[in-house]
Amino acid sequence: MNMKIVSNIFSLLLLLVLFTGCGKDNYDAPESKIVGKVTYQGQALNLRGTGEAVQL
């Protein structure tokens, strides 16, 4: 019975942490963009990405 109480308290604490953590990372999207070519030894690599975005 004691283990069940500890398990319930731990579950409630975990839920509390998860719900409070959701609001911490809601920042506005960045407005800056990087524009240009990706080159290697002076040669353009002609990379393509999705939605004109290349992940480096």
Side-chain angles (χ1 to χ4, degrees):
M1 173 131 181
N2 193 16
M3 190 65 162
K4 187 174 182 180
I5 293 172
V6 172
S7 176
N8 286 340
I9 291 173
F10 180 73
S11 297
L12 287 173
L13 287 174
L14 181 63
L15 284 173
L16 181 66
V17 168
L18 289 174
F19 282 125
T20 58
C22 290
K24 298 285 184 189
D25 61 353
N26 294 333
Y27 296 108
D28 294 334
E31 298 177 9
S32 303
K33 292 184 180 182
I34 298 175
V35 180
K37 292 187 228 178
V38 179
T39 60
Y40 178 71
Q41 293 182 349
Q43 298 288 329
L45 296 180
N46 298 324
L47 298 175
R48 292 186 190 173
T50 57
E52 297 182 14
V54 176
Q55 187 175 19
L56 300 175

